[in-house]
Amino acid sequence: MEIAPPVLIKGPGFDLREIRSVPEAIEYLEGWPANARSPFWYLASNALHGAEDGSMQVEHAREAFEAFCKGAGVLLV
């Protein structure tokens, strides 16, 4: 399931990363430290898993993931 347009993020250990699919976004979220997971993290995770199982539109899951990235300060604008 492709995310279009890709979500561009920055962070430690890399300058730029393109998240191009629902599985990539889920993998990124799963790597987020458990003690730093905000309500936006949980909303994004639920939305992406919903997109994966077909209960949510990919566009809405992308928006939730982008909102998480923005709140976490990793979204490259």
Side-chain angles (χ1 to χ4, degrees), residues 11-61:
F14 56 88
D15 292 327
L16 170 68
R17 182 172 175 186
E18 287 184 310
I19 303 295
R20 297 180 164 269
S21 69
V22 169
E24 283 180 24
I26 291 171
E27 179 183 339
Y28 181 78
L29 285 180
E30 288 176 353
W32 200 258
N35 64 344
R37 293 179 180 179
S38 68
F40 285 116
W41 184 94
Y42 289 99
L43 288 171
S45 180
N46 289 339
L48 289 163
H49 282 98
E52 192 172 48
D53 72 18
S55 65
M56 178 170 279
Q57 293 181 357
V58 173
E59 299 83 32
H60 293 188

